[in-house]
């Protein structure tokens, strides 16, 4: 079938040579499309639950992975897990420089021969060292041994894995930690004779681990110490472990050290129940210890939480129930989440294992709503988590893949617009119609907090008392606005309780005319004679927010309408003839609304007394100009004339070879808001313009042209403000003649291909830049993450060096 299709295509290519360009065009388009799909294929993106962001994959797509652990310092996060790729098994590490927002591809740290779980554990130091420890079964010794590898450059390069030589009968489940002195500590389960205990070791200057001995005294009725949870804070270690008694029930025990493990306090039992308490996860938060654990007092395993305050001195006797289901819940993990705590675990309440989380509010001593983190229809288990700032970075095993997810601690602000009061423009409308676009957020927008005030950034709005607008509302009407600037403040709240930054939308209203300007003259007292022929005038006006400028005029013996625009606050004149002059000034606001004019009269030299009747007439009608004085009137500079013309997408002096085009009407010396419309004609012969508006759009769509000569003309209808009144005006007409020649036109496809070819030839530099960009993109796709790793590494080292410098300066 494919051969027949190819034969038909080739036959068509040779039988219809005029379509060869189309053939090549389709071939290239198809090839480029396939290349784009291969190079830019999207990664898996899944819709998330409220309070959490999108899921992302940490392990590689061709890996079968499990047993993930995670550690962080600042925004640097490292995760370690074991995985099978092809026929080999290994320990892999993936790092993130942006607080877990994205992880670099995993790097293999070591090859593993043992088929049993190795449980790798990762630690990150304050200077960027990354260590991974794991155990593996050695068949030649028929026991478990521990191994170790380290990176000194943020996980880019790794040392060869080495065995941690201790010499006990059994060594397994290693855990590594860096203290604040950058010393590496090792905790592990060991067996010497009949004692199965928890041991502590510190790496010395030679790079070997020196065991300080067992840290727990095993005595009746305690049979052993198992599965410890360890929290390090500075030089203090807090350990909660699972101890089994002679009745084969398990309870939780606690021990601590305040000197980097050199000495330990006595053990303390912190649970005592009929059933068993196992799998603890301990966290120090604001000088209080919190432990999440499994308990089966109610037959099913449930997740509970207890508190030891301060620093584990006194422990709760009544634990808090975290999970609320009748199915078994496993593997609890507790991490800080801002001022509160987050507890994660997995259970099969929905028929298949899924990872869940609930936030514990410290202030109210209660747990929040349940959130399911794993969303695919695949079994998910064994969560791990770490805090980065206020955010929780969670990971878990899901169908042989290590998945990640970040808690939602941010929401973008809404995008605010107004059709009645566009930002940056003034309006005469006292009613504002505000709309906003809801931000995209994984948790959804549940409410908006709004406030209308004249303050640009009111302090009380930083933490307003309540949200006043529901999340499905995206518009608001603000009536009864006053002259001046009003601010519409809005912030969004998402389903996770996050508040966006506040948007301060400026609403600018000018309804009433500006107040009368106050005019003074430092050279000429009002109405009194002065010998100086060069007067100066200065002025001021209240309400500068709405002020656009001023119109002024100076006339001899009569009132002239202010017609010269200025943004200055003073003006001077020279060499005036003797007589009486009237300086008139009107303020204009940013909607081009003129105020009433102020009048200031001066006398240069001497002048006759004003005739009472003439003064009344002048004051009553400002257009009055005595005929005999017209030639003596002071002429003010004229403003450029308003005009309108058409810009064409072709040279009008050359024949045009198409039957239509789009052109743009351009105006000069006319405010955009003053344009009412345009009168346009197009015809074979020149003719008069239509008497009214034919279009209000400044875009002309000309179609159905035939060969021959055409005339196209345009004029603009607009208005101006004079004395507080609106005057309608027309610009002069602009007419252009052009010729259309549609003979010998190529086919549409040939014209398209010819145009593309001409463009390529005409823009050789652009074409070269395009192919260089494509080549660079391909290289970036192949090596982009490596480049990003190097850039982030340099930035991290610079920040670390600066921090170290200031820390040393503070210490000194």
């Amino acid at each position: 079938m494919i051969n027949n299709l190819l034969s038909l295509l080739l036959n068509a290519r040779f039988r219809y040579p005029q379509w060869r360009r189309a053939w090549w065009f389709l071939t290239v388009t198809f090839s480029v499309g396939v290349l784009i799909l291969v190079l830019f294929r999207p990664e898996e993106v899944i819709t998330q639950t409220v309070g959490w962001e999108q899921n992302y994959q940490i392990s590689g797509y061709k890996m079968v992975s499990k047993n993930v652990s995670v550690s962080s310092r600042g925004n640097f996060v490292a995760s370690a897990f074991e995985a099978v790729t092809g026929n080999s098994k290994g320990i892999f590490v993936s790092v993130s420089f942006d607080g877990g927002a994205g992880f670099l591809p995993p790097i293999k740290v070591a090859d593993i021969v043992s088929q049993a779980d190795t449980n790798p554990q990762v630690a990150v130091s304050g200077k960027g060292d990354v260590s991974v420890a794991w155990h593996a079964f050695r068949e030649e010794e028929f026991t478990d041994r521990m191994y170790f590898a380290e990176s000194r450059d943020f996980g880019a390069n790794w040392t060869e894995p080495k065995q941690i030589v201790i010499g006990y009968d059994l060594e397994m489940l290693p855990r590594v930690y860096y203290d604040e002195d950058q010393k590496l500590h090792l905790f592990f389960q060991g067996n010497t004779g009949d004692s199965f205990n928890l041991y502590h070791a510190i790496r010395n200057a030679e790079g070997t681990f020196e065991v300080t001995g067992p840290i727990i005294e095993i005595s009746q009725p305690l049979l052993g110490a198992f599965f410890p949870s360890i929290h390090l804070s500075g030089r203090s270690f807090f350990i909660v472990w699972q101890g089994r008694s002679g009745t084969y029930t398990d309870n939780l025990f606690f021990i601590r050290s305040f000197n980097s493990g050199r000495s330990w306090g006595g053990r303390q039992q912190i649970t005592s129940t009929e059933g068993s308490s196992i799998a603890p996860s301990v966290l120090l938060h604001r000088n209080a210890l919190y432990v999440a654990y499994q308990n089966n007092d109610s037959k099913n395993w449930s997740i509970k939480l207890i508190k030891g305050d301060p620093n584990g001195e006194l422990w709760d006797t009544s634990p808090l129930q975290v999970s609320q289901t009748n199915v078994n819940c496993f593997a609890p993990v507790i991490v800080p989440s801002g001022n509160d705590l987050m507890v994660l675990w997995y259970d099969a309440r929905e028929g298949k294992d899924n990872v869940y989380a609930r936030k514990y509010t410290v202030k109210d001593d209660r747990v929040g709503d349940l959130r399911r983190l794993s969303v695919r229809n695949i079994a998910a288990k064994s969560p791990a988590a770490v805090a980065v700032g206020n955010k929780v970075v969670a990971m878990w095993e899901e169908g042989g893949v290590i998945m990640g997810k970040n808690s939602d601690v941010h929401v973008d602000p809404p995008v605010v617009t107004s059709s009645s009061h566009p930002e940056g423009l003034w309006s005469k409308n006292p009613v504002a119609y505000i709309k906003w676009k809801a931000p995209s957020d994984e948790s959804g927008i549940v409410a908006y907090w709004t406030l209308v005030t004249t303050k640009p950034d009111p302090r009380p709005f930083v933490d307003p008392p309540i949200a006043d607008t529901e999340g499905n509302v995206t518009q608001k009407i603000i009536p009864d606005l006053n002259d001046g600037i009003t601010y519409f403040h809005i912030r969004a709240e998402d389903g996770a309780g996050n508040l966006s930054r506040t948007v301060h939308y400026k609403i600018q209203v000018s309804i009433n005319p500006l107040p009368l300007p106050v005019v003074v003259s430092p050279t000429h007292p009002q109405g009194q004679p002065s010998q100086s022929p060069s007067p100066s005038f200065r002025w001021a006006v209240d309400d500068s927010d709405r002020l656009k400028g001023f119109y002024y005029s100076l006339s001899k013996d009569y009132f002239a309408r202010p017609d010269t625009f200025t943004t200055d606050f003073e003006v001077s004149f020279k060499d005036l003839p003797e007589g009486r002059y009237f300086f008139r000034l009107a303020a204009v606001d940013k909607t081009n609304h003129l105020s009433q004019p102020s009048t200031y009269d001066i006398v240069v030299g001497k002048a006759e007394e004003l005739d009472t009747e003439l003064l009344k007439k002048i004051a009553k009608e400002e257009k009055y100009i005595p005929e005999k004085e017209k030639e003596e009137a002071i002429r003010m500079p004229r403003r450029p004339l308003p005009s309108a013309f058409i810009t064409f997408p072709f040279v009008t002096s050359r024949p045009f070879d198409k039957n239509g085009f789009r052109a743009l009407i351009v105006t000069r010396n006319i405010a955009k808001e003053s344009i009412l419309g345009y009168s346009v004609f197009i015809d074979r012969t020149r003719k008069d313009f239509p008497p009214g508006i034919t279009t209000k759009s400044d875009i002309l769509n000309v179609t159905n042209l035939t060969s021959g000569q055409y005339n196209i003309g345009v004029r603009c209808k607009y208005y101006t403000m004079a004395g507080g009144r609106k005057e309608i005006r027309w610009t002069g007409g602009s007419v252009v003649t052009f010729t259309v020649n549609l003979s010998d036109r190529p086919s549409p496809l040939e014209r398209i291909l010819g145009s593309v070819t001409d463009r390529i030839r005409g823009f050789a530099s652009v074409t070269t830049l395009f192919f260089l960009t494509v080549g660079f993109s391909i290289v970036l796709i192949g090596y982009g993450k490596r480049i990003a790793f190097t850039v982030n590494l340099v930035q991290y080292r610079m920040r670390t060096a600066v921090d170290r410098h200031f820390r040393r300066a503070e210490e000194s």
Side-chain angles (χ1 to χ4, degrees):
M1 181 177 178
I2 295 177
N3 290 334
N4 292 337
L5 179 61
L6 290 175
S7 299
L8 288 173
L9 292 175
L10 291 173
N11 184 43
R13 179 180 183 275
F14 290 107
R15 288 184 62 185
Y16 304 101
Q18 65 271 26
W19 291 97
R20 287 181 181 176
R21 286 187 178 181
W23 168 272
W24 285 113
F25 176 77
L26 293 174
T27 302
V28 172
T29 302
F30 177 77
S31 302
V32 172
V34 171
L35 185 62
I36 290 175
L37 288 175
V38 171
L39 295 178
F40 298 93
R41 63 182 183 271
E43 297 182 354
E44 180 180 19
V45 177
I46 304 172
T47 303
Q48 307 309 309
T49 55
V50 172
W52 293 81
E53 298 177 356
Q54 292 181 347
N55 288 13
Y56 53 84
Q57 185 168 325
I58 298 175
S59 59
Y61 283 91
K62 296 182 179 181
M63 293 179 173
V64 180
S65 311
K66 60 181 178 179
N67 294 329
V68 63
S69 68
V70 61
S71 179
S72 70
R73 285 294 178 101
N75 282 329
F76 181 68
V77 183
S79 64
F81 54 89
E82 56 183 295
V84 176
T85 58
N87 296 323
S88 64
K89 180 181 178 181
I91 303 296
F92 291 84
V93 172
S94 179
V95 299
S96 169
F97 289 94
D98 52 10
F103 281 81
L104 297 180
I107 295 176
K108 180 182 277 191
V109 173
D111 290 306
I112 302 298
V113 178
S114 173
Q115 298 303 311
D117 287 355
T118 58
N119 294 291
Q121 298 291 315
V122 64
V124 176
S125 77
K127 61 181 182 179
D129 296 343
V130 186
S131 294
V132 178
W134 65 95
H135 68 254
F137 184 76
R138 287 177 61 92
E139 293 186 358
E140 58 270 29
E141 297 184 60
F142 204 75
T143 189
D144 283 284
R145 295 301 180 198
M146 298 181 297
Y147 299 85
F148 166 80
E150 187 175 30
S151 170
R152 296 299 179 92
D153 55 5
F154 300 91
N157 298 284
W158 290 83
T159 62
E160 290 294 327
K162 297 179 180 179
Q163 181 180 345
I164 301 174
V165 179
I166 302 296
Y168 293 167
D169 296 339
L170 174 68
E171 301 152 358
M172 62 185 299
L173 297 175
R175 290 167 172 80
V176 283
Y177 301 87
Y178 286 98
D179 64 18
E180 64 179 20
D181 298 322
Q182 314 308 321
K183 291 184 178 180
L184 185 62
H185 296 257
L186 170 70
F187 293 87
F188 63 96
Q189 302 273 186
N191 187 9
T192 56
D194 295 332
S195 176
F196 191 81
N197 207 329
L198 178 65
Y199 292 86
H200 172 232
I202 303 176
R203 187 172 61 175
N204 57 28
E206 290 74 30
T208 60
F209 287 91
E210 295 181 354
V211 179
T212 61
I215 63 175
I216 300 171
E217 181 183 350
I218 303 297
S219 60
Q220 293 296 330
L222 194 63
L223 301 181
F226 308 93
F227 307 113
S229 174
I230 304 169
H231 181 90
L232 169 63
S233 176
R235 296 186 179 91
S236 299
F237 284 100
F238 304 92
I239 303 178
V240 175
W241 77 90
Q242 170 185 333
R244 174 157 293 184
S245 65
T247 59
Y248 295 98
T249 59
D250 294 283
N251 275 293
L252 301 183
F253 295 81
F254 168 67
I255 197 172
R256 60 186 176 179
S257 169
F258 295 110
N259 55 9
S260 295
R262 294 183 179 87
S263 61
W264 298 84
R267 75 185 190 204
Q268 180 181 357
Q269 184 173 337
I270 60 176
T271 64
S272 180
T273 60
E274 296 180 358
S276 290
S277 297
I278 64 172
S281 176
V282 63
L283 171 70
L284 179 68
H285 183 72
R286 296 186 174 182
N287 295 324
L289 283 173
Y290 296 86
V291 179
Y293 61 98
Q294 291 177 215
N295 178 268
N296 65 351
D297 285 353
S298 302
K299 305 305 179 184
N300 292 318
W301 289 109
S302 61
I303 307 299
K304 295 186 177 182
L305 180 70
I306 58 172
K307 174 183 176 183
D309 192 20
N311 294 318
E313 290 286 348
L314 299 174
W315 290 88
D316 294 338
T317 56
S318 299
L320 179 70
Q321 186 82 21
V322 177
S323 63
Q324 296 174 347
T325 179
N326 292 325
V327 301
N328 289 325
C329 303
F330 303 100
V333 176
I334 185 169
V335 289
S337 178
N339 294 326
D340 301 316
L341 309 177
M342 190 76 71
V343 180
L344 298 83
W345 72 93
Y346 76 93
D347 64 52
R349 70 181 66 201
E350 299 180 49
K352 187 172 293 185
D353 286 335
N354 278 293
V355 176
Y356 298 90
R358 296 187 79 172
K359 180 180 283 190
Y360 170 74
T361 305
V362 175
K363 181 179 180 181
D364 300 331
D365 189 29
R366 64 177 181 83
V367 291
D369 295 334
L370 183 74
R371 306 299 185 196
R372 174 180 163 182
L373 305 190
S374 55
V375 296
R376 301 191 301 175
N377 190 26
I378 301 175
K381 62 179 183 178
S382 304
V386 70
V388 179
N390 292 329
K391 179 175 65 176
V392 174
V393 180
M395 303 175 187
W396 63 88
E397 176 188 339
E398 187 172 303
V401 175
I402 303 302
M403 299 297 294
K405 195 187 197 85
N406 299 333
S407 63
D408 186 358
V409 296
H410 172 78
V411 57
D412 290 324
V415 178
V416 184
T417 58
S418 174
S419 58
S420 61
H421 295 73
E423 195 164 21
L425 299 179
W426 287 78
S427 172
K428 298 179 181 179
N429 191 346
V431 179
Y433 298 89
I434 305 295
K435 290 187 177 181
W436 58 87
K437 183 179 179 182
S440 177
D441 191 84
E442 289 296 322
S443 301
I445 304 301
V446 298
Y448 296 97
W449 308 48
T450 67
L451 183 67
V452 179
T453 178
T454 56
K455 297 180 180 179
D457 189 9
R459 286 290 176 184
F461 196 67
V462 173
D463 188 16
I466 58 171
D468 64 337
T469 305
E470 294 182 357
N472 59 350
V473 177
T474 58
Q475 59 184 353
K476 180 165 285 192
I477 298 176
I478 305 175
D480 303 326
L481 291 170
N482 297 320
D483 288 326
I485 298 175
T486 303
Y487 292 89
F488 173 71
H489 309 278
I490 183 172
R491 65 197 306 190
E493 179 184 357
D494 68 4
N498 303 307
L499 289 175
S500 74
R501 68 171 177 83
T502 305
V503 175
H504 312 286
Y505 188 84
K506 184 188 290 186
I507 303 170
Q508 301 174 120
V509 175
S510 184
I511 306 170
N512 302 301
L514 288 168
L516 208 67
V518 177
V519 182
V520 297
S521 174
T523 59
H524 290 68
Q526 186 169 10
Q528 300 180 19
S530 175
Q531 296 304 314
S532 173
S534 302
S536 296
F537 300 93
R538 297 175 182 173
W539 55 86
V541 67
D542 197 9
D543 196 351
S544 60
D545 285 339
R546 296 190 289 149
L547 181 66
K548 178 179 180 180
F550 304 91
Y551 281 99
Y552 68 87
S553 65
L554 182 67
S555 55
K556 185 179 181 183
D557 295 335
Y558 69 95
F559 283 1
R561 179 180 298 167
D563 62 353
T564 301
F565 180 77
T566 182
T567 57
D568 295 330
F569 285 81
E570 62 179 328
V571 68
S572 298
F573 299 88
K574 292 183 180 181
D575 303 326
L576 295 182
E578 191 175 67
R580 185 179 299 276
Y581 293 85
F582 295 96
F583 178 76
R584 307 199 73 206
L585 181 77
V588 59
D589 68 11
K590 292 176 180 176
T591 63
N592 296 319
H593 197 177
L594 282 171
S595 72
Q596 291 296 320
S598 296
T599 303
Y600 190 99
D601 66 296
I602 64 171
V603 177
V604 176
K606 61 181 179 178
E608 296 181 1
E609 291 293 329
L610 286 174
D611 180 77
T612 304
E613 294 300 322
L614 181 60
L615 184 59
K616 290 181 179 180
K617 192 172 184 180
I618 290 174
K620 186 176 181 181
E621 184 179 359
E622 71 172 358
K623 290 184 179 180
Y624 173 77
I625 301 176
E627 290 291 333
K628 64 179 181 178
E629 302 293 342
K630 279 189 177 180
E631 41 298 336
E632 297 181 14
I634 298 172
R635 303 299 180 184
M636 300 302 174
R638 291 185 177 271
R639 288 175 288 172
L641 291 175
S643 61
F645 58 92
I646 300 173
T647 59
F648 293 85
F650 57 90
V651 179
T652 56
S653 61
R654 300 176 185 175
F656 183 58
D657 62 351
K658 299 178 182 178
N659 63 353
F661 61 87
R662 299 182 73 188
L664 183 66
I665 300 175
V666 179
T667 58
R668 295 279 175 83
N669 306 314
I670 305 175
K672 195 73 175 176
E673 60 270 18
S674 300
I675 297 175
L676 301 175
Y678 308 93
S679 175
V680 180
F681 78 84
I682 180 168
D683 206 340
R684 296 286 190 177
T685 59
R686 299 177 72 96
K687 67 176 186 179
D688 293 335
F689 285 90
I693 294 175
T694 60
T695 178
K696 292 188 176 182
S697 172
D698 57 0
I699 299 176
L700 292 180
N701 287 298
V702 180
T703 59
N704 300 324
L705 296 176
T706 59
S707 296
Q709 191 177 69
Y710 286 90
N711 296 285
I712 185 168
V714 63
R715 63 175 182 161
C716 175
K717 187 177 184 180
Y718 65 102
Y719 69 86
T720 60
M721 300 300 298
R725 297 186 299 273
K726 182 184 292 186
E727 294 185 358
I728 306 300
R729 301 177 184 270
W730 284 93
T731 65
S734 171
V735 182
V736 175
T737 301
F738 64 95
T739 303
V740 177
N741 185 1
L742 301 181
S743 60
D744 300 326
R745 288 192 303 164
S747 67
L749 180 60
E750 288 178 337
R751 285 194 294 108
I752 293 173
L753 294 176
S755 175
V756 172
T757 304
D758 291 341
R759 288 174 183 268
I760 292 176
R761 291 174 180 171
F763 298 94
S765 59
V766 176
T767 306
T768 303
L769 181 62
F770 168 76
F771 284 109
L772 287 175
T773 303
V774 172
F776 178 74
S777 300
I778 293 173
V779 173
L780 191 62
I781 290 171
Y783 298 95
K785 291 189 176 180
R786 192 65 181 177
I787 295 172
F789 176 88
T790 305
V791 172
N792 285 319
L793 174 61
V794 172
Q795 292 178 345
Y796 191 93
R797 282 182 170 174
M798 292 175 64
R799 290 196 303 267
T800 304
V802 172
D803 292 341
R804 190 181 299 118
H805 170 75
F806 284 109
R807 189 162 54 248
R808 288 175 178 174
E810 290 175 356
E811 291 174 354
S812 62

